[in-house]
Amino acid sequence: MNELQAKAGIQVLKPIQEVFNAIVDPEQMKNYFISESTGPMVAGTEVTWKFPEFDDRFPVQILDIKAPTEILFQWEGAPGNQLKVDIRLEEREGNTVVKITEGTMPNTEAGLQWMRGNSEGWANFLACLKAWLEYGIHLRKGAFDYMKPA
């Protein structure tokens, strides 16, 4: 294998349109993922995300949206590397399976570290999305405070 991808998936016990809206609408994303966005995810636009734990801002180019089944964007997923993120939603018995693929990076030690970290990050995104939509719990709140400079 010459290239690596970060992957994560989860089933959310909510209808596909509700899950899709929670991902593309920044007001909903503020409940489980980001603290700020310059706008909703709309194909052909660029938004900037800020996360509650960090001062950095991240530009995100929205490449394509196929409501309610696919969201494709590009961002600096690794330092100096613009990476595509593909979020796919699949309806299953009234619930939604969400699968995320990000990448690719070379199969090197640095690439393996990236794959591990970003797979964990997307798994966290999905767990936070599920906790918020199913139970109204802001799972991310305070979770990464330990990473802030002392």
Side-chain angles (χ1 to χ4, degrees):
M1 176 185 225
N2 293 330
E3 295 184 326
L4 303 171
Q5 292 183 316
K7 293 184 176 187
I10 203 166
Q11 180 167 295
V12 179
L13 304 181
K14 292 291 180 178
I16 193 169
Q17 190 65 52
E18 189 174 338
V19 177
F20 175 83
N21 291 342
I23 296 171
V24 299
D25 178 1
E27 292 306 311
Q28 292 189 56
M29 287 178 77
K30 289 177 187 178
N31 294 306
Y32 68 91
F33 187 51
I34 59 173
S35 60
E36 296 176 27
S37 176
T38 56
M41 296 178 82
V42 175
T45 66
E46 179 176 295
V47 298
T48 301
W49 288 344
K50 182 181 179 310
F51 294 89
E53 306 85 10
F54 311 108
D55 292 331
D56 297 334
R57 296 180 186 278
F58 299 88
V60 178
Q61 291 93 30
I62 314 308
L63 302 174
D64 197 17
I65 303 274
K66 292 183 178 98
T69 59
E70 186 173 10
I71 301 157
L72 183 63
F73 65 89
Q74 181 172 294
W75 70 344
E76 189 173 352
N81 292 280
Q82 289 292 313
L83 300 175
K84 289 183 182 174
V85 176
D86 189 351
I87 302 175
R88 297 201 180 226
L89 294 84
E90 175 188 327
E91 189 170 17
R92 190 172 292 176
E93 298 178 9
N95 299 309
T96 307
V97 175
V98 184
K99 294 181 181 177
I100 300 175
T101 303
E102 180 182 18
T104 59
M105 292 284 287
N107 189 354
T108 62
E109 185 58 37
L112 288 169
Q113 289 179 12
W114 163 83
M115 185 179 69
R116 184 179 324 113
N118 283 36
S119 291
E120 290 173 1
W122 287 117
N124 179 270
F125 167 89
L126 291 171
C128 291
L129 170 69
K130 182 177 179 68
W132 175 255
L133 286 178
E134 292 182 18
Y135 305 102
I137 298 169
H138 195 320
L139 195 60
R140 190 176 175 106
K141 187 174 185 177
F144 298 102
D145 287 352
Y146 72 96
M147 296 175 74
K148 290 181 181 178

